[in-house]
Amino acid sequence: MSELQQTLVLIKPDAVKRNLIGEVIRRCEAKGYEVVELKKLAASRALLEEHYAEHHGKVFFEPLVEFMLSGDVVAIRLEGHGVIEGFRSLAGSTNPTSAAPGTIRGDLGREWGTKVVQNLVHGSDSAESSSRELALWF
Ligand code: IDP
Ligand code: MG
């Protein structure tokens, strides 16, 4: 069985602009996860480059950072047993066109022809990532 974990959820600028903060949090809480800490902020370039370090050098890296700088984001420390995998499951796969209906990206997202895929939310992908990312954002 899964241990008690925390994960970093980011509500990205596209979701904030579309007034979907409450909808994302509603889905997390409806699933049974606990919002332990939450803040809305304009992230710095330095923070975003560190957060997305694994993608440095990829063609979408600069568009990704620019997109994340384009408006406020909401950072959430979300807690629950198995929450790292569980939130990734709630979020759905990276491309919102193919993300399954029932997921945040599948229900609420679509492609817009932009250089970076705008997909509403981020969730840490492993225990190592969640520790690293939570320390960056909180
Ligand atoms: P994830 O958010 O589902 O974990 P990652 O592979 O970690 O996906 O990529 C980080 C973010 O970069 C994605 O959420 C998406 O916004 C963007 N992205 C990922 N792959 C591509 C791509 O091939 N083209 C454009 N943007 C991408
Ligand atoms: Mg990722």
Side-chain angles (χ1 to χ4, degrees):
M1 301 303 284
S2 297
E3 55 185 311
L4 185 61
Q5 299 175 326
Q6 294 186 338
T7 194
L8 175 74
V9 172
L10 297 178
I11 305 179
K12 297 182 179 185
D14 55 335
V16 172
K17 286 190 180 111
R18 288 176 55 201
N19 299 319
L20 292 172
I21 296 172
E23 174 65 17
V24 171
I25 294 172
R26 187 194 67 74
R27 288 173 182 235
C28 294
E29 291 191 320
K31 179 79 172 174
Y33 297 136
E34 182 184 347
V35 173
V36 174
E37 226 176 327
L38 173 151
K39 63 181 173 188
K40 187 181 187 197
L41 72 158
S44 68
R45 172 173 286 273
L47 172 59
L48 292 167
E49 290 188 348
E50 188 63 30
H51 173 76
Y52 282 123
E54 65 170 306
H55 297 301
H56 197 93
K58 295 184 184 168
V59 287
F60 61 83
F61 180 76
E62 184 57 28
L64 176 58
V65 171
E66 290 291 333
F67 163 55
M68 294 296 286
L69 284 169
S70 70
D72 285 352
V73 302
V74 174
I76 300 169
R77 182 190 295 274
L78 194 66
E79 183 174 282
H81 291 85
V83 71
I84 297 170
E85 180 185 352
F87 180 77
R88 297 277 294 184
S89 177
L90 283 182
S93 56
T94 305
N95 185 329
T97 297
S98 48
T103 66
I104 293 167
R105 289 163 169 175
D107 284 350
L108 309 172
R110 53 164 282 196
E111 289 177 87
W112 299 94
T114 49
K115 283 185 191 154
V116 71
V117 173
Q118 301 191 0
N119 55 11
L120 306 165
V121 290
H122 164 86
S124 308
D125 64 8
S126 66
E128 295 68 33
S129 299
S130 69
S131 303
R132 189 183 77 84
E133 293 172 2
L134 285 166
L136 281 175
W137 289 85
F138 288 101

